[in-house]
Amino acid sequence: GFSLSIYDVTSRSIYLKWPKFSGASSYRVTATPVNTVGHSLLAHFSDVTLKGTLTSLIPNTIYAIQAEAMDRNGIILAETQIMQSTAPDIPVIDQAYSKLSNSITVEWRAVPGATSYLLTAQDGNSFIETVVTNTPGTVMGLKPATLYRITIRSVNSGGKSQPSPFRKAKTVLAAPVLSVSSPSCNSIAVSWKAVYMAAGFSVSLMRSDGLGRMLKENTTNTSLIFTNLDPGTLYTIKAYAWNVNGIPGDDFTYNQRTSPKAPADVQVAFNSGASRAIISWMPTEGASTYSVTASSGLLKLKCNTSSASCMLPSLQCGSEYYVSVTAYNDAGSSKPTDAVSLKTIPCAPVNISIEEDEPGHLLVSWSSVNFGHYYVVFVKSDDGLEVHCNTSHTQCHFQSDCGFTYFISVFAYNKAGQSPLGDVFNYTTAPCCPSDFRAVLVSSDTVQVTWAPVRGAEMYETRAVGWSGVVLCNDTATACTLSALQCNTQYHVTVYSFSEARGSNMSCASKYVATAPCSPEITNISKEALSVISVHWQSNNEEATYVVTARGGAGLWHCTSSGNSCTLMNLPCGSAFSVSAIARSPAGQSLPSYSVPLETAPCCPNDLILTQVTQSVTNISWSVGMGAQTYVTTLESPKGQAKCHTLQNYCLLGCITCGTKYTVSLKAISETGLTSSCIYQGYSSGACCPSGVKLYRLSNNGIRVYWQASDEMINYNTDLHGSKGNFTCTPSSGLSHCDITEIPCGDVYTVVVSPVTDKGPKLTFCPKKIYSVTCSGSSVGMVIYRGKSNAE
């Protein structure tokens, strides 16, 4: 808990302190130089002294310092040791002097072991310190013309030496602060404020490029003027003050350029813009910028530039400006040059009027303008072609064509150039007339008029004038359809062109157009014969030919007449037609008349077949008759009539008398009730079936079939059908029985007796009877009637 610390060090002294140690009555401190030949220093201190100073030490020497705490008996209670170097030796100032008003420079001999030095300048109670590494050293931040006490200390890692003996030194005077200007191009004025402790001033001036001689003035005043200098030239001015002893102070250096001379050879030229002028001049020595002023009455324009030319924009046309140029640099400005007159381009002509004094001729006129020597009128058509007129008067004549828009501009000229573009006027001539229009008849009341487009026309009006009135059509297209015209009428047709700028051209030629004939009106259709139709109409056109057309699914049939009727021949049966008529003339063809329906009688079926189903029922069938919807078939004989009305192509007729000849007829009836009567070949019904059919047993296994004949002239055929065999016999003509000699007994037989026909198969509708033939031994036994067959 015992320690030792250093709180100050000098060249020959070390200042120590330590804490109080419990039980210690005294302290002993020993300082022994390290690596140096020298005596150790021993010092004793009482227990109430906790600080000590070791003196008479060797400068710039490292000491080993040991401190011991002892009791009353001299016994060491605690000890501690530290290493400490003394400061370097005290330096000695050789000289101290001032070259600048804010510093003093000090020179001394170097001190061994010193790593730096502490310079101190004291002025009364204030002082300024500066650390330097070697001699000489300068103290900065001092006041001008002030006496200071200067001391120096050497410094190493151990500490600082004591201050050296002081030296007195005074700072020199402050430099005068110059205010410099160039009141003219060949003079420079210099002024300054009074300098503390100054007895006089010295000011010198010389060209900065080193040419020429130096001018120098000594004065006690605070201003002076140098004259006869070169214009626009950079000069270096140097000034300082001196004190009563003649010692100069700080100097002040300032560069100043004389103001420039006025520019020479001012030139004025217009550029391509005509409202802008380029002002140029010879460059002036030392000028950094130039200012151009153009005045016209109360109006002033300015232009600033660093080159030897400047452009004045926005010059007013028809004005005279007076132009002067002034040169500038950082010293000031030159005198302005003598004014140069500048007359601008003339203004654009106004009050321009355009009129077409006669077709094909335009007259352009305008008002004269200030400074306008002559005028040029440009006329450009919308197809790009341009013509112009050059005149000293205020009007020009031009050729013009129909349907063109002309763009007209008028310029005035003088030596300065062309006037600005004024208002561009346009004048549109009347549109051209369609020279060759074509009228095409669309129908008897409609005509389509077409034409080639013409220049300048934005719209067309087609006018058709007839005895019944006027028909108009307005359109932007080059075609117009005139509708609601009167048929069979001659019209006066004209196509007028129109533009919004100029209106209609009313000088267009016209044409005569005749409309087509009026539509005929069919008044009557009559049937002259089976396939001959006569059509009648009302004729209301002159020189017209009429064509009647019957149109249907079967095709087209025509007839032609110049009167009011014609005949359609060879129309097919069972067909529907639409009959219409048209009228034709050199002007065209009328619309068709309203169609009148025509229907021919239905066709008779080609094939008719009769089939006898029963003795009193016959089936009739036939092929389809074109145009027929229903049919009526009739079988007629002296004994009676059978009739059938049907939608089908077949029919069953009952109540037929057997063995009778019939007349066959058929009526084909259309949907609208038209009827065709069809006659066919006659029909004979089949012979009557016999009655009283019976079977008798014969000897020797034979059977006799007996019947009652309906007609003695009819032959009959007998058929027996059983499970053991089928048997047939045909008796001789006129007989009413037939024998079958060998027939198996013990079987059931179906017996049918039918008339024999000359044509076709046997009749199948005669009644069938069933008999049972029993056996008696090996011979036919009893023959028993069993009734009619189930089929009956």
Side-chain angles (χ1 to χ4, degrees):
F2 185 60
S3 62
L4 187 65
S5 62
I6 308 297
Y7 65 89
D8 196 12
V9 176
T10 65
S11 301
R12 297 182 181 275
S13 301
I14 296 175
Y15 297 89
L16 310 169
K17 63 180 178 179
W18 55 88
K20 183 176 179 61
F21 194 83
S22 176
S25 62
S26 64
Y27 300 93
R28 182 172 61 191
V29 179
T30 304
T32 304
V34 179
N35 297 329
T36 302
V37 178
H39 298 285
S40 296
L41 180 65
L42 178 65
H44 289 271
F45 301 96
S46 66
D47 61 340
V48 297
T49 303
L50 300 178
K51 289 184 178 181
T53 303
L54 299 177
T55 59
S56 302
L57 301 179
I58 304 171
N60 193 34
T61 301
I62 299 174
Y63 282 89
I65 302 172
Q66 183 175 2
E68 299 169 323
M70 298 179 295
D71 61 7
R72 289 186 177 89
N73 300 320
I75 298 172
I76 298 173
L77 301 177
E79 64 181 359
T80 184
Q81 181 175 334
I82 61 173
M83 305 294 288
Q84 177 63 46
S85 173
T86 57
D89 207 354
I90 300 171
V92 177
I93 298 175
D94 292 333
Q95 61 176 337
Y97 52 88
S98 174
K99 290 185 178 181
L100 297 175
S101 62
N102 66 343
S103 66
I104 292 176
T105 301
V106 183
E107 295 180 1
W108 66 92
R109 291 185 296 274
V111 175
T115 58
S116 62
Y117 300 90
L118 178 65
L119 298 178
T120 302
Q122 186 173 2
D123 171 26
N125 293 327
S126 65
F127 60 88
I128 295 176
E129 292 183 337
T130 300
V131 177
V132 297
T133 57
N134 50 38
T135 186
T138 301
V139 182
M140 305 293 292
L142 307 181
K143 295 181 288 185
T146 302
L147 184 64
Y148 286 92
R149 293 178 64 179
I150 307 299
T151 58
I152 186 171
R153 293 184 180 190
S154 59
V155 181
N156 67 3
S157 60
K160 299 189 291 286
S161 72
Q162 290 87 350
S164 69
F166 68 85
R167 284 288 188 96
K168 290 185 178 181
K170 191 175 186 179
T171 54
V172 299
L173 301 179
V177 179
L178 302 181
S179 295
V180 186
S181 64
S182 177
S184 66
C185 64
N186 59 357
S187 65
I188 291 178
V190 184
S191 63
W192 58 90
K193 292 182 180 180
V195 177
Y196 175 66
M197 299 297 290
F201 302 94
S202 179
V203 182
S204 62
L205 178 144
M206 187 175 183
R207 284 178 62 122
S208 298
D209 57 8
L211 300 177
R213 63 187 182 87
M214 183 177 69
L215 302 177
K216 186 172 183 180
E217 295 286 343
N218 292 329
T219 182
T220 58
N221 296 326
T222 57
S223 65
L224 56 85
I225 296 178
F226 294 95
T227 58
N228 298 321
L229 304 180
D230 297 328
T233 302
L234 184 65
Y235 285 88
T236 300
I237 300 104
K238 184 176 291 187
Y240 62 88
W242 68 80
N243 60 17
V244 293
N245 297 322
I247 298 174
D250 290 347
D251 57 15
F252 185 92
T253 301
Y254 191 89
N255 290 327
Q256 175 66 44
R257 191 181 298 275
T258 53
S259 57
K261 287 174 62 176
D265 193 20
V266 177
Q267 300 290 328
V268 177
F270 285 94
N271 73 341
S272 59
S275 63
R276 297 176 291 181
I278 297 178
I279 314 300
S280 61
W281 54 88
M282 292 295 294
T284 298
E285 180 68 30
S288 58
T289 59
Y290 300 90
S291 178
V292 179
T293 303
S295 301
S296 177
L298 297 178
L299 179 64
K300 283 190 176 182
L301 298 176
K302 282 196 173 183
C303 169
N304 296 320
T305 181
S306 59
S307 63
S309 64
C310 191
M311 185 174 66
L312 289 174
S314 305
L315 296 177
Q316 288 189 347
C317 59
S319 302
E320 184 174 13
Y321 290 85
Y322 294 95
V323 181
S324 61
V325 183
T326 303
Y328 290 85
N329 62 14
D330 53 3
S333 63
S334 70
K335 293 181 179 179
T337 61
D338 294 334
V340 176
S341 176
L342 170 62
K343 290 183 179 180
T344 62
I345 58 174
C347 294
V350 294
N351 298 327
I352 298 174
S353 66
I354 306 164
E355 57 181 318
E356 198 170 1
D357 49 359
E358 60 180 271
H361 294 276
L362 293 181
L363 173 63
V364 183
S365 58
W366 59 92
S367 298
S368 60
V369 296
N370 194 25
F371 298 142
H373 295 167
Y374 65 96
Y375 304 91
V376 177
V377 183
F378 293 92
V379 177
K380 186 173 184 178
S381 59
D382 52 12
D383 63 353
L385 182 64
E386 185 176 69
V387 296
H388 69 278
C389 164
N390 192 329
T391 180
S392 58
H393 301 292
T394 58
Q395 65 178 19
C396 270
H397 290 272
F398 294 92
Q399 296 287 332
S400 63
D401 290 319
C402 63
F404 276 88
T405 296
Y406 294 94
F407 299 93
I408 299 166
S409 54
V410 183
F411 293 90
Y413 290 82
N414 61 14
K415 291 182 179 180
Q418 175 185 285
S419 69
L421 175 64
D423 292 334
V424 177
F425 292 85
N426 63 71
Y427 184 87
T428 303
T429 56
C432 300
C433 288
S435 59
D436 185 17
F437 65 87
R438 190 162 59 97
V440 177
L441 190 69
V442 177
S443 66
S444 57
D445 63 347
T446 303
V447 173
Q448 186 180 52
V449 183
T450 59
W451 57 90
V454 294
R455 177 170 289 277
E458 298 171 358
M459 184 177 290
Y460 301 93
E461 180 182 84
T462 306
R463 182 186 295 261
V465 180
W467 62 266
S468 59
V470 179
V471 178
L472 295 177
C473 171
N474 292 318
D475 205 332
T476 57
T478 57
C480 188
T481 300
L482 297 169
S483 57
L485 301 178
Q486 293 291 329
C487 57
N488 196 36
T489 303
Q490 192 171 54
Y491 282 89
H492 190 72
V493 179
T494 311
V495 180
Y496 299 98
S497 54
F498 174 83
S499 70
E500 291 185 6
R502 199 53 54 195
S504 293
N505 190 340
M506 302 304 295
S507 62
C508 301
S510 59
K511 287 185 178 181
Y512 286 99
V513 176
T515 56
C518 298
S519 298
E521 179 183 353
I522 296 176
T523 58
N524 184 34
I525 296 179
S526 60
K527 294 183 180 180
E528 302 298 329
L530 182 62
S531 60
V532 178
I533 302 295
S534 180
V535 181
H536 302 265
W537 59 86
Q538 183 180 347
S539 176
N540 51 7
N541 299 293
E542 297 179 359
E543 299 180 358
T545 300
Y546 298 89
V547 177
V548 176
T549 301
R551 186 185 313 273
L556 297 176
W557 274 260
H558 302 283
C559 67
T560 303
S561 173
S562 59
N564 57 6
S565 66
C566 72
T567 302
L568 294 169
M569 308 291 289
N570 300 320
L571 294 179
C573 61
S575 298
F577 295 92
S578 176
V579 180
S580 63
I582 60 171
R584 291 175 179 172
S585 74
Q589 179 175 293
S590 73
L591 292 174
S593 68
Y594 295 121
S595 295
V596 176
L598 171 64
E599 182 182 359
T600 57
C603 298
C604 290
N606 292 328
D607 300 319
L608 186 138
I609 301 173
L610 290 90
T611 304
Q612 191 161 357
V613 179
T614 66
Q615 187 169 288
S616 63
V617 177
T618 298
N619 179 56
I620 303 178
S621 63
W622 54 90
S623 60
V624 176
M626 179 70 69
Q629 185 186 47
T630 61
Y631 303 91
V632 177
T633 56
T634 304
L635 293 183
E636 193 167 0
S637 73
K639 297 180 180 180
Q641 183 187 66
K643 182 181 288 188
C644 172
H645 193 177
T646 181
L647 287 169
Q648 311 299 327
N649 61 338
Y650 60 88
C651 188
L652 286 176
L653 291 177
C655 301
I656 300 299
T657 304
C658 55
T660 304
K661 290 185 178 181
Y662 285 90
T663 300
V664 182
S665 64
L666 181 145
K667 286 184 180 181
I669 305 171
S670 70
E671 185 177 359
T672 59
L674 293 179
T675 303
S676 292
S677 296
C678 311
I679 304 299
Y680 296 90
Q681 187 177 0
Y683 165 72
S684 295
S685 60
C688 298
C689 292
S691 60
V693 176
K694 296 179 181 180
L695 260 66
Y696 297 97
R697 179 172 63 88
L698 298 177
S699 59
N700 300 325
N701 293 329
I703 291 295
R704 171 171 286 185
V705 181
Y706 176 82
W707 61 86
Q708 292 179 0
S710 60
D711 190 341
E712 294 180 355
M713 302 302 295
I714 297 175
N715 293 328
Y716 294 91
N717 185 70
T718 301
D719 292 305
L720 274 74
H721 300 284
S723 62
K724 295 181 180 181
N726 295 326
F727 303 93
T728 300
C729 74
T730 301
S732 300
S733 178
L735 294 180
S736 58
H737 66 273
C738 183
D739 295 334
I740 300 172
T741 58
E742 293 292 336
I743 186 170
C745 63
D747 197 0
V748 176
Y749 291 94
T750 299
V751 180
V752 179
V753 179
S754 302
V756 177
T757 61
D758 298 334
K759 301 176 182 178
K762 301 178 187 177
L763 297 179
T764 60
F765 52 77
C766 289
K768 300 176 183 178
K769 292 185 176 183
I770 300 174
Y771 286 87
S772 177
V773 179
T774 64
C775 291
S776 175
S778 59
S779 300
V780 174
M782 296 179 63
V783 178
I784 303 170
Y785 175 62
R786 301 283 298 271
K788 292 184 178 181
S789 71
N790 294 334
E792 295 298 319

